[in-house]
Amino acid sequence: MREIKFEILWLRNNADFTKSIEKHYTTLERLTNGEDKFPYSDVNVVARRQYAELKDKSGVEAYEGDWVKPVTSIFVTGCIVFSEGAFWVVGRNRRGSCGRDLLAHYPEFTIETNIHQNPELVGK
């Protein structure tokens, strides 16, 4: 049975009056059996992202909303989305047209950023 993992992005109000996005990681099992004691109701949750079951070429886990750059692909960059029971990369190819492909087709990719920490990327 696969482990379903989540990354919770939440907004921290810093002492110097700035804000930063922090991360909390958990699993479906920890959420359902009561082991996860994170104070969800006391923080401003920005996003809940599911683990895409793959790591980039540096070993970093990929989550929904990550912008990735496949090493061997027609895509210049693309965003990971969950649709139709699978994780996909949706993005623009080198010719400028949009398309999508299964994330599992990319043996090597790098994570560039994510749409929650860089919302200006939405719609590109």
Side-chain angles (χ1 to χ4, degrees):
M1 181 181 205
R2 73 180 179 99
E3 181 179 47
I4 300 173
K5 300 191 308 187
F6 299 97
E7 177 185 69
I8 311 300
L9 301 177
W10 58 281
L11 197 60
R12 176 189 296 273
N13 294 313
N14 300 314
D16 63 356
F17 301 105
T18 61
K19 295 182 180 189
S20 59
I21 294 179
E22 302 293 328
K23 298 176 182 179
H24 169 71
Y25 295 91
T26 192
T27 64
L28 183 59
E29 182 178 348
R30 287 177 45 86
L31 287 168
T32 57
N33 69 15
E35 289 180 18
D36 186 2
K37 303 295 183 195
F38 186 75
Y40 294 98
S41 60
D42 296 337
V43 298
N44 184 2
V45 174
V46 175
R48 296 164 187 86
R49 303 175 346 128
Q50 185 177 353
Y51 176 50
E53 301 181 58
L54 289 173
K55 296 180 180 180
D56 78 356
K57 68 180 192 174
S58 301
V60 177
E61 294 180 339
Y63 287 82
E64 284 180 271
D66 280 341
W67 276 84
V68 296
K69 183 174 185 177
V71 175
T72 55
S73 167
I74 62 168
F75 290 118
V76 177
T77 60
C79 184
I80 298 174
V81 298
F82 186 79
S83 176
E84 302 171 17
F87 289 96
W88 300 82
V89 174
V90 177
R92 297 198 179 275
N93 63 28
R94 289 182 177 87
R95 295 182 306 275
S97 58
C98 292
R100 74 179 197 166
D101 200 2
L102 281 171
L103 178 61
H105 290 171
Y106 300 119
E108 281 196 319
F109 61 91
T110 57
I111 297 172
E112 302 289 310
T113 187
N114 70 63
I115 61 173
H116 305 289
Q117 291 175 299
N118 294 288
E120 67 276 6
L121 294 173
V122 175
K124 287 196 175 188

